[in-house]
Amino acid sequence: MTSKDCGNHGHHIHTRRRFVRLLFAGILTFLLIVLIVILLVWAILRPSKPKFILQDATVYAFNVSYPSFITSNFQVTVSSRNPDDRVGIYYDRLDIYATYRDQQITLRTSIPSSYQGHKETNVWSPFICGNSVPVSPYNSATLSQDQGAGFVMLMIKIDGRVRFKVGTFMSAKYNLHVRCPAYIQFGSRTSGIMVGDNVVKYQLATSCHRDTFDLDFEMQMILLLLHSFTVGVAMVGGGATTPGCDETVALI
C-alpha cells in the first residue's frame, strides 16, 4: 500500500467518524427538541384527573343475622368533576359496590356510560344491596365490636373503564378504581337524618381516593396532547378549519 493509499484510507475514516458524530448530534438535538415541546405542551394544557366525592349515603337496611350474614341496602350519591378545560372523559363502564374490611358485602350495580365534558360534573345516585351475604369469621367478630361501639366504616368502591378525549383524538381505555370511605353511625350516636321508617340519610361529602393512571397513562396523555397540539398548529399555519360539534353530558 502506497503512502497515497494510506492517506486516502485515513481520510475516509475521518469522514465516517465525522458523519457518525454529526448523526449522533442530530439525533440528540431532535430528542431534546421533542422533549422541550412535550414539556411546553404539558405545561400549557396541564391535564387534570377527575375528582370523586361521596356526597351522601341513605341506609335502608343494614342487618347482621346469625351466624354471620349481612343484609344491606343503600342509596349513595357520588359526584365526579372533570377539572380540565381541554380534556373530556368517556366513562365506558362503571360498577359500584360496598365492602367491609376488604370483603364485598353487596352486589355490583352498573352505572350507565356517559361523557363528561370540560369542567363538568356528573352525579350518580345508584342503589347497592346484598341479601344474606356470608361474612368471614374474622370480619364477623370485628363487625360485632363495631356495632357495639355504634359505628361501622364501609368502603364504597367504583371500578370501571375510561377514555380521554382531546379535540378529535381519543386515548386508549384505562382501568379506574375509586375508593370512598363511608362512616356510618347507629343508635343514639347517629348523625344521620331520618327520611322514612328506619331509613337514615348521612351527609358525608367525603373525598374519594383514586387508584389508577400509572406512568403509561401519563405518557399516553402527553402523546395525545402533543398530537392535538401539533395538528392544531398545522391547521392554524395552513389556514384550515374543521367543523365542530356540540358536546353534551348526561347527568344521571
Side-chain angles (χ1 to χ4, degrees):
M1 181 179 292
T2 64
S3 59
K4 182 178 181 180
D5 294 334
C6 290
N8 290 335
H9 182 68
H11 176 72
H12 291 325
I13 293 177
H14 177 72
T15 301
R16 284 198 297 269
R17 288 178 178 174
R18 185 168 180 271
F19 173 77
V20 171
R21 285 197 297 268
L22 289 175
L23 179 62
F24 185 70
I27 293 175
L28 286 180
T29 302
F30 174 76
L31 293 177
L32 180 61
I33 292 174
V34 170
L35 179 60
I36 292 174
V37 171
I38 289 176
L39 292 176
L40 286 175
V41 171
W42 185 264
I44 294 172
L45 299 181
R46 199 182 297 275
S48 302
K49 300 168 186 177
K51 302 181 184 301
F52 289 82
I53 294 178
L54 177 60
Q55 304 278 9
D56 58 61
T58 302
V59 181
Y60 289 85
F62 190 82
N63 302 314
V64 180
S65 58
Y66 182 83
S68 299
F69 295 97
I70 291 181
T71 296
S72 58
N73 187 357
F74 308 95
Q75 183 181 21
V76 295
T77 301
V78 180
S79 66
S80 169
R81 183 177 184 273
N82 176 15
D84 205 289
D85 59 357
R86 296 179 183 269
V87 179
I89 305 173
Y90 281 96
Y91 295 98
D92 292 328
R93 179 179 62 81
L94 292 175
D95 294 327
I96 186 169
Y97 57 99
T99 65
Y100 175 75
R101 293 186 176 271
D102 294 326
Q103 180 178 351
Q104 185 172 336
I105 60 172
T106 69
L107 298 174
R108 292 171 177 258
T109 297
S110 295
I111 297 175
S113 59
S114 61
Y115 173 74
Q116 189 174 57
H118 310 150
K119 291 191 175 296
E120 289 187 342
T121 300
N122 287 22
V123 180
W124 303 285
S125 295
F127 283 88
I128 51 177
C129 59
N131 186 26
S132 298
V133 178
V135 183
S136 66
Y138 173 78
N139 284 341
S140 177
T142 307
L143 181 60
S144 297
Q145 295 175 0
D146 289 347
Q147 282 189 303
F151 68 89
V152 63
M153 176 63 75
L154 302 178
M155 191 69 68
I156 307 300
K157 293 188 176 183
I158 302 175
D159 296 334
R161 298 277 282 175
V162 297
R163 291 175 295 156
F164 298 87
K165 179 183 178 184
V166 180
T168 58
F169 302 100
M170 196 77 64
S171 75
K173 291 185 178 182
Y174 288 90
N175 292 323
L176 175 70
H177 302 290
V178 180
R179 297 178 295 117
C180 306
Y183 183 77
I184 306 298
Q185 294 178 309
F186 299 101
S188 59
R189 297 182 180 182
T190 182
S191 59
I193 302 172
M194 297 295 296
V195 294
D197 293 337
N198 296 322
V199 180
V200 183
K201 183 174 184 178
Y202 297 88
Q203 298 291 343
L204 301 173
T206 305
S207 296
C208 303
H209 306 288
R210 190 183 51 249
D211 301 331
T212 187
F213 308 142
D214 52 14
L215 180 62
D216 178 57
F217 162 79
E218 303 289 353
M219 290 302 298
Q220 183 155 155
M221 284 300 296
I222 290 176
L223 295 176
L224 188 67
L225 294 172
L226 179 62
H227 192 182
S228 176
F229 181 78
T230 53
V231 169
V233 170
M235 289 174 58
V236 171
T241 58
T242 301
C245 58
D246 294 333
E247 294 176 339
T248 59
V249 57
L251 297 184
I252 300 169

